[in-house]
Amino acid sequence: MANQIMFIILAVIILGAAVLSVMTKRIMRAATFLLFVLFGVAGIYFLLDYTFLGAAQISVYAGGITMLYIFAIQLVSKHTLQGLYERLRGSRVVAGVLAALAGLVLVAVILLKNVFISKAIPNEEVSMKEIGRTLVSTDGYVLPFEFISIFLLACIIGGIVISRKDK
């Protein structure tokens, strides 16, 4: 019962922060709300007793990725970001809602067609050893993880090059 209450609290925090992140007009507030979303996801990992994934979520995403976003925001001039907002016209709002609904229908059709829902709830608990073996095996997720780390390194180097002042 306590786990369900904690899950509901974390879900409300995640959904609320995600909506606020999208709806706010200030970009630094959006990054801060994104940080709350990432901490909430880490809380769900801790709730499921996946401490390694929770710690990785906090260190890699909440720490690294959010700092990378904030670093990129700070590289852009403050005059560009000051008071930056766009007036929403009715046609754009309707188009956005229709695109979101189309995406939701597409995801639902794919999930129902491929029977992911019944496979996502295993009868037996998956051990952390099995998750680790899947993550670092040659046919697992090592190669995409390495590509992402090289991409992030290139982004950091590009940010440093852009921020350098030419003398």
Side-chain angles (χ1 to χ4, degrees):
M1 183 67 176
N3 282 344
Q4 289 176 344
I5 293 171
M6 279 304 299
F7 176 78
I8 290 170
I9 291 170
L10 287 171
V12 167
I13 290 172
I14 291 170
L15 290 174
V19 168
L20 287 172
S21 177
V22 173
M23 298 300 289
T24 186
K25 294 181 181 179
R26 303 279 182 197
I27 194 162
M28 288 301 285
R29 287 183 188 165
T32 305
F33 290 132
L34 175 67
L35 184 64
F36 286 128
V37 170
L38 295 174
F39 274 128
V41 172
I44 289 179
Y45 285 142
F46 286 125
L47 192 63
L48 293 171
D49 287 332
Y50 289 144
T51 54
F52 174 75
L53 289 177
Q57 175 77 17
I58 289 174
S59 65
V60 173
Y61 291 105
I65 301 300
T66 306
M67 289 304 117
L68 187 66
Y69 287 158
I70 291 173
F71 181 66
I73 290 167
Q74 294 297 329
L75 281 177
V76 179
S77 77
K78 293 185 182 199
H79 298 293
T80 305
L81 294 177
Q82 200 69 17
L84 178 68
Y85 65 92
E86 182 178 338
R87 295 186 191 271
L88 294 177
R89 292 179 289 193
S91 62
R92 294 187 100 184
V93 172
V94 170
V97 169
L98 288 176
L101 287 175
L104 180 66
V105 167
L106 180 67
V107 168
V109 166
I110 290 172
L111 284 176
L112 293 174
K113 183 177 179 183
N114 293 320
V115 196
F116 282 135
I117 296 172
S118 63
K119 291 181 181 179
I121 305 172
N123 295 335
E124 58 199 48
E125 190 172 322
V126 179
S127 69
M128 199 62 190
K129 191 176 201 177
E130 183 65 29
I131 291 173
R133 191 174 299 126
T134 303
L135 285 174
V136 296
S137 66
T138 55
D139 58 341
Y141 297 100
V142 170
L143 192 60
F145 181 76
E146 290 300 323
F147 281 138
I148 290 171
S149 64
I150 290 171
F151 176 71
L152 288 175
L153 178 65
C155 289
I156 291 170
I157 292 171
I160 291 171
V161 168
I162 289 172
S163 68
R164 249 182 61 203
K165 293 183 179 181
D166 293 331
K167 293 182 180 180

